[in-house]
Amino acid sequence: MRKGILSIGAAAAALTLGLTACGGESGDTSAESSSAPSAAAGDAKPGKIGVILPDSKSSARWETADRKYLQEAFDAAGVQSDIQNAQGDKTAFQTIADQMITNGATVLMIVNLDSGTGKAVLDKAKSQGVATIDYDRLTLGGSASYYVSFDNTAVGKLQGEGLVKCLTDKKADKPIIAELNGSPTDNNATLFKQGYDGVLQPKYDSGDYKKGPDQSVPDWDNTQAGTIFEQMLTQEPKIAGVLAANDGLGNAAISVLKKQKLNGKVPVTGQDATVQGLQNILAGDQCMTVYKAIKKEADAAAQLAVSLAKGEQPQASGTVKDTEGNRDVPSVLLEPQAIFFDNVKDVVADGFVSKDELCTGDFADKCTEAGVS
Ligand code: BGC
């Protein structure tokens, strides 16, 4: 899937300096190489940027991190923006996009709710001359001019390796693994699964681990995740490790495990380094999470959007293959980081969560123990 990746520093430099194609590692960005500003660049007032976030329940990140960092970046660039949240409603998503365009958006950045509805939004925007960016989730078969995200297969790999580490630490013997996957309509969930199955499948094959229940959670719905995991544990009470695709799904599994007093005994993974996920790690109920420095993702996307709003044709650092649309999408992909008890402090040091919100009540002592300052 991934063809080229550069650090954000390099990507940012390429964008800022308007360098011509460097090709990243993939060496095939030449088709998108033109960074020459269009005739209008610099002359006219920049257009407006519209951003549509997917929901506020599947992960805390969209409202607490993405919105904040994107807004800050647009404001710092002095470009007008409108950030809205579709709250999981696919019809509302299209309506919001239409309104944004009517109200003067010349750039539209979306986090799709699924590829089909995302494609409709992108295609319609494009037909009206609006530049488009896929933010975090690639719209398969879509028409976005750019894609900004993390290396999502690497995210899954960290989750798989993290679970293996925690099971090894617990000296687990032939553990039965449950997989609680993300939404079947989110291309990222497919990539995360590719990543962790790449680690787990060889262990199933060798007989070191036993494959247990493996199910996707529609729309990453945390409540449904609880119901699904409850059924998994009823069917297979000896589940000894849970690969949960994000912190919300992980927390749903932990809540069910708590009822059986199995929390802390059965390692659970996560993603997003949410306050809840980090607190679950501090409490010993969650084995790990994956920290994605969303400020960098938001900054990279905002930089592209601002440049497009000014009528320029920015260059991305690499490309990602859209297998459905059979095209190479100019992309910026960032590297994720695994977080365990010992390096929870890194997330605080990076300013992603504050000590105040993390180290509340009973977590204060745990924070001290984990060296959070
Ligand atoms: C994002 C994750 C998020 C999930 C649920 C994925 O596409 O990459 O960070 O946890 O959606 O919102």
Side-chain angles (χ1 to χ4, degrees):
M1 182 85 188
R2 188 188 68 164
K3 294 188 85 185
I5 184 164
L6 278 184
S7 72
I8 183 56
L15 292 168
T16 312
L17 302 172
L19 300 174
T20 48
C22 60
E25 288 172 9
S26 67
D28 68 349
T29 50
S30 52
E32 310 298 332
S33 66
S34 171
S35 62
S38 70
D43 303 341
K45 206 166 147 268
K48 211 177 183 180
I49 300 166
V51 179
I52 312 180
L53 300 172
D55 64 70
S56 49
K57 290 188 179 153
S58 66
S59 173
R61 63 168 285 183
W62 306 116
E63 285 299 327
T64 62
D66 297 273
R67 177 187 287 276
K68 177 179 76 180
Y69 294 131
L70 286 168
Q71 190 68 63
E72 282 172 7
F74 297 142
D75 291 350
V79 174
Q80 272 190 295
S81 62
D82 180 12
I83 305 178
Q84 294 198 40
N85 191 315
Q87 304 297 359
D89 183 332
K90 291 163 196 168
T91 310
F93 202 113
Q94 180 70 66
T95 309
I96 294 169
D98 292 344
Q99 281 165 356
M100 284 175 166
I101 296 168
T102 305
N103 292 335
T106 59
V107 182
L108 184 66
M109 194 192 291
I110 68 162
V111 185
N112 74 50
L113 287 169
D114 63 50
S115 283
T117 59
K119 175 180 166 51
V121 169
L122 293 169
D123 289 354
K124 193 167 175 191
K126 194 179 176 191
S127 74
Q128 295 175 80
V130 172
T132 50
I133 300 173
D134 265 334
Y135 182 66
D136 200 70
R137 299 176 180 167
L138 180 66
T139 302
L140 294 175
S143 56
S145 305
Y146 299 90
Y147 169 51
V148 178
S149 191
F150 284 80
D151 178 343
N152 292 306
T153 316
V155 170
K157 188 163 178 266
L158 292 178
Q159 293 173 316
E161 290 168 350
L163 187 61
V164 170
K165 179 189 175 321
C166 296
L167 287 165
T168 309
D169 288 352
K170 287 192 181 305
K171 303 196 174 29
D173 185 30
K174 301 204 172 28
I176 299 174
I177 310 298
E179 295 188 23
L180 205 49
N181 311 303
S183 174
T185 59
D186 179 352
N187 182 56
N188 284 349
T190 308
L191 299 175
F192 300 148
K193 188 163 173 59
Q194 275 169 17
Y196 51 76
D197 280 349
V199 177
L200 297 175
Q201 193 60 48
K203 301 241 171 228
Y204 300 147
D205 293 344
S206 68
D208 283 349
Y209 290 5
K210 191 166 170 241
K211 187 165 167 56
D214 178 3
Q215 236 178 289
S216 296
V217 179
D219 300 325
W220 295 91
D221 184 303
N222 292 193
T223 313
Q224 280 195 60
T227 310
I228 292 171
F229 188 72
E230 189 121 44
Q231 287 162 359
M232 287 179 167
L233 198 60
T234 307
Q235 279 162 17
E236 184 46 89
K238 290 199 177 125
I239 288 171
V242 184
L243 193 310
N246 79 356
D247 285 353
L249 306 188
N251 187 64
I254 289 166
S255 305
V256 175
L257 289 168
K258 275 185 179 162
K259 292 196 231 162
Q260 309 292 333
K261 302 215 164 30
L262 287 171
N263 57 307
K265 294 184 182 141
V266 176
V268 177
T269 64
Q271 170 181 187
D272 287 344
T274 59
V275 170
Q276 185 182 58
L278 295 171
Q279 289 182 336
N280 281 337
I281 293 178
L282 290 174
D285 292 341
Q286 186 170 325
C287 136
M288 60 88 68
T289 186
V290 178
Y291 172 50
K292 302 192 294 191
I294 291 171
K295 184 175 187 323
K296 290 185 182 161
E297 185 182 21
D299 282 349
Q303 202 169 352
L304 284 169
V306 166
S307 178
L308 289 165
K310 290 180 176 165
E312 298 164 4
Q313 294 179 318
Q315 185 207 338
S317 52
T319 60
V320 160
K321 183 96 186 162
D322 169 1
T323 43
E324 221 160 273
N326 195 25
R327 68 182 186 115
D328 292 324
V329 188
S331 301
V332 177
L333 293 186
L334 302 157
E335 287 300 331
Q337 185 191 352
I339 301 294
F340 299 86
F341 186 91
D342 289 345
N343 62 346
V344 163
K345 57 179 179 291
D346 290 3
V347 182
V348 179
D350 210 30
F352 186 66
V353 300
S354 70
K355 188 183 172 188
D356 281 358
E357 54 186 339
L358 182 64
C359 306
T360 50
D362 290 350
F363 295 108
D365 287 351
K366 293 284 179 190
C367 277
T368 309
E369 203 186 313
V372 175
S373 55

